[in-house]
Amino acid sequence: MGSDTNARYIPDEADARKNIVELCKLLYDQGFMAGTAGGMSVKDGGVIYITPSGVQKERMRANDMTMFDTEKQQYIERPDQIYKPSACVPLFKALHQHVDAGACIHTHSINAVLITLLFKEEFRISNIENIKAIPKYTEPGNLKNTDTVRIPIIDNRHHEEELEETLIETLRKNPGAPAILVRRHGVFTWGSNVWKAKVIHEALDYLFNCAIQMKQLGIDPDGEVGSEFK
Amino acid sequence: MGSDTNARYIPDEADARKNIVELCKLLYDQGFMAGTAGGMSVKDGGVIYITPSGVQKERMRANDMTMFDTEKQQYIERPDQIYKPSACVPLFKALHQHVDAGACIHTHSINAVLITLLFKEEFRISNIENIKAIPKYTEPGNLKNTDTVRIPIIDNRHHEEELEETLIETLRKNPGAPAILVRRHGVFTWGSNVWKAKVIHEALDYLFNCAIQMKQLGIDPDGEVGSEFK
Amino acid sequence: MGSDTNARYIPDEADARKNIVELCKLLYDQGFMAGTAGGMSVKDGGVIYITPSGVQKERMRANDMTMFDTEKQQYIERPDQIYKPSACVPLFKALHQHVDAGACIHTHSINAVLITLLFKEEFRISNIENIKAIPKYTEPGNLKNTDTVRIPIIDNRHHEEELEETLIETLRKNPGAPAILVRRHGVFTWGSNVWKAKVIHEALDYLFNCAIQMKQLGIDPDGEVGSEFK
Amino acid sequence: MGSDTNARYIPDEADARKNIVELCKLLYDQGFMAGTAGGMSVKDGGVIYITPSGVQKERMRANDMTMFDTEKQQYIERPDQIYKPSACVPLFKALHQHVDAGACIHTHSINAVLITLLFKEEFRISNIENIKAIPKYTEPGNLKNTDTVRIPIIDNRHHEEELEETLIETLRKNPGAPAILVRRHGVFTWGSNVWKAKVIHEALDYLFNCAIQMKQLGIDPDGEVGSEFK
């Protein structure tokens, strides 16, 4: 029941854009991409494929993706390109570079937003089985269920690109962190491929949801086991 | 990540009624049109297409739409017409005329109804990233995330047509408002085309949902950043 | 925006069982028929079609329905019949007879169950637009939005058939009531055809949901307009 | 309205793996298997089919299942096998053996997790109609609605296999219990076939949900009938 998401779903090059289309539709259907919120990117060889800006994520097509050449460090211009790149591009690029992410997912999950209003410096939850789905910061493998999940929270800025510096600094201070929360904004998660990023996003949102409901019931998400009955 | 919803989805004339059918089915599936609640309209050249009255919105067909000729200012009568026009018609017509809406969406969203019980004169929320999805009142472009969204609330009346005068007056006092809440009733949103109206509706409902949950957690949706930790 | 649900969806005889199959699947998908809970019946000429007992409602087929001959007052036996009739049969039969229902829907909606723990004698809500979807008790047409919806609540019994007497008595005391709540059990709704019953069920569940959330926010669902701001 | 789930859905041998695929997809869509959480097993003759470890449950295929030979007490090795068995295997095997389960379902249902923080030794709820969906411990047939559902809660351990001993001991102390809750972890349910296990899982989760909402409204899920109005 770990999170060793399986071999079959490692995307091949041809599938990078199809995977983005499929996953964004799913994230919209699950309520994670209302309006035109959120976005994602997949790195495939020397190209990063990125969702375009201001687009309904459930209606995108493979050809709508923005493409960035990591060697030339510039966008690949195409005659049929009609959308401008997502404002998240600098952040996605930073994640692909600094944490060697194969795929990044960014959503405005309401659970994530509420968590940043309930926790100040970092989200903390412990002693929930689903914690096993979250990878350890620096060692191989996943956390134990008695470990504490820690997700750093950074403050929001006017423009996504202004978040880049804080994001990189936070990643340096928290090497191996599996995600970053942005206060009053949402969450960034990543993984070595698109499905691993999806699994982290889902498992974290489950834990955010759990923690919010625990708080509403007067239970400390990071409290000692058994303290809820005292 | 703005709300510059994209060119491809600007409806052409042939699609006006198909778009209504598709969007009403989606709004029903998302819980926004339970029973026979809500409705929408699309202006296409000199014709306004409007959902009929008392119909299950997920089961409508393109031919069920009521058609209103804006030049002759009268309904286009058709031999196959079996439904009477929505009670919202005067409001939709006022919105198409006064705010030059290409499409209007009206739902009885429970989040919208609850918001009108938590806010008296207008809904206010600030410092949430998704605020960027909401257009500015009078200038081009969208709000900043640190701006305050303001959605006027008007009191409900017995009949939808009685709301017309207050609606127009409120639009005059709040030029460029992207939506109007009706107390204990629901929300009216609009946009230059059907997909822009959909995006505003989704983004606003996300903010209503956020604000309700913030209130339940004792956090002021329009409070100063950081006040939640004092 | 009334609830004059439209002509097209009046079921013809051939469709009675197909309509039950379609609607039960929808009610399951919406969370109203978890496990094997709930059931429904449609009267079509001299036959009442009834969902069988203990069956997963989303997996039924047209041939699974129990058939009751209202003239002979007995079940129509068929060689391919493998399920026994629903325990709700006496209640459905009473509703078809006493309120001349064309279709009855019974669900264990959690909203309905919670409402019966928050209201003692009857559910009451007023001044919500969606109230217009609920028919008046004895006059033609629907309630005004300023009217009070009143749904009688009866106490639960061990067996559904034991509810029959109280149900009939309650219908006599509340002629024209559009539904009956059963405490700690669920709701019975009905209509002249299957789609009208569906619309009432959806519109009522919306009002139950609204009232529960109002109570949680400290607002009286049957309070004076404006009392929420005092 | 019992839970006598019907004959048609008793899986034949050929269908064991197809049933697992179908049901896991459904459980994912209903939010019960976020990330790669949860799993299930079906016993068919001398073989137990088990979901593999760390796999997205909505994307599995029939050939992905691990197969365990109950006679030889060893896995059936196949050249195309790419996944390792679920960490739940010892628990599923114990359930197939000790309670003669035909199928076991294990989820990290958030409702189940929260219930284990609200109840100490066992989950208890009474006087809710849906209780009739839960089988009696040792006698044939299902509970009455006035009976008390009791689901034992055991404490979580680091590894699922460490739960085996406590699970078996708890089953011995509670012969005929239809499910076991694991604190801060989730729920195990079972039945004589896959659909009966599904019905128990759904009916229990409904009761968990009900109990959580009752607690939030200040009502005791195991209180005397009428005590909510005192």
Side-chain angles (χ1 to χ4, degrees), chain D:
Chain D
M1 216 138 308
S3 70
D4 210 60
T5 31
N6 60 63
R8 181 191 303 144
Y9 305 113
I10 293 175
D12 62 33
E13 295 198 18
D15 277 339
R17 290 181 290 176
K18 273 176 58 185
N19 284 328
I20 293 178
V21 167
E22 180 186 339
L23 189 46
C24 282
K25 174 79 174 71
L26 177 69
L27 288 163
Y28 174 82
D29 288 344
Q30 293 175 334
F32 286 120
M33 288 187 162
T36 65
M40 61 176 291
S41 68
V42 174
K43 186 160 177 283
D44 195 1
V47 179
I48 303 176
Y49 300 91
I50 309 157
T51 51
S53 176
V55 171
Q56 299 173 81
K57 297 302 180 296
E58 80 280 18
R59 289 164 198 272
M60 287 183 317
R61 301 180 196 172
N63 283 338
D64 296 342
M65 302 308 143
T66 304
M67 292 162 68
F68 185 85
D69 186 318
T70 55
E71 203 165 318
K72 297 184 187 158
Q73 285 291 308
Q74 63 186 38
Y75 289 106
I76 299 168
E77 295 201 21
R78 306 185 333 250
D80 61 337
Q81 186 70 43
I82 53 175
Y83 305 120
K84 58 181 183 192
S86 166
C88 291
V89 166
L91 303 179
F92 288 149
K93 277 163 54 185
L95 292 169
H96 285 295
Q97 188 187 335
H98 289 270
V99 298
D100 197 26
C104 305
I105 297 174
H106 168 54
T107 74
H108 295 185
S109 155
I110 287 190
N111 288 329
V113 170
L114 293 173
I115 278 298
T116 67
L117 298 168
L118 295 170
F119 293 82
K120 198 166 181 179
E121 316 261 304
E122 62 182 12
F123 167 65
R124 294 175 72 95
I125 192 166
S126 53
N127 295 301
I128 297 289
E129 181 68 9
N130 232 31
I131 289 170
K132 285 182 179 172
I134 310 299
K136 284 181 193 165
Y137 266 36
T138 47
E139 294 156 79
N142 283 6
L143 295 171
K144 286 188 284 186
N145 53 5
T146 50
D147 287 337
T148 299
V149 171
R150 297 188 302 110
I151 307 294
I153 302 173
I154 63 177
D155 284 328
N156 201 18
R157 303 293 292 272
H158 277 152
H159 302 287
E160 311 246 5
E161 60 267 29
E162 296 172 282
L163 288 167
E164 188 182 350
E165 200 183 330
T166 327
L167 188 81
I168 293 170
E169 195 193 315
T170 307
L171 290 170
R172 285 216 182 100
K173 282 188 192 158
N174 298 272
I180 300 271
L181 284 155
V182 185
R183 191 166 343 268
R184 295 168 170 273
H185 181 151
V187 68
F188 286 84
T189 60
W190 50 86
S192 58
N193 67 51
V194 74
W195 305 112
K196 291 196 182 184
K198 164 184 174 282
V199 166
I200 301 291
H201 183 269
E202 280 182 9
L204 272 181
D205 206 73
Y206 171 103
L207 292 170
F208 298 155
N209 184 353
C210 227
I212 293 165
Q213 293 199 57
M214 287 171 80
K215 289 257 188 188
Q216 280 169 333
L217 293 162
I219 301 165
D220 179 0
D222 191 31
E224 206 187 331
V225 171
S227 59
E228 62 273 16
F229 297 112
K230 275 169 199 166

Side-chain angles (χ1 to χ4, degrees), chain A residues 94-112:
Chain A
L95 292 170
H96 285 296
Q97 188 187 333
H98 289 270
V99 298
D100 197 28
C104 304
I105 297 174
H106 168 53
T107 74
H108 296 186
S109 155
I110 287 190
N111 288 330

Side-chain angles (χ1 to χ4, degrees), chain A residues 28 35-36 59 64 88 108, chain B residues 1-2 8-9 146 198 202 206:
Chain A
Y28 174 83
T36 65
R59 288 164 198 272
D64 296 343
C88 291
H108 296 186
Chain B
M1 216 140 308
R8 180 191 304 143
Y9 305 113
T146 50
K198 164 186 174 280
E202 279 183 11
Y206 171 103

Side-chain angles (χ1 to χ4, degrees), chain A residues 61-80:
Chain A
R61 301 178 196 174
N63 283 338
D64 296 343
M65 301 309 142
T66 303
M67 292 162 68
F68 185 84
D69 185 319
T70 55
E71 203 165 317
K72 297 186 186 157
Q73 284 290 308
Q74 63 185 37
Y75 289 106
I76 299 168
E77 295 200 20
R78 306 186 331 252
D80 61 338

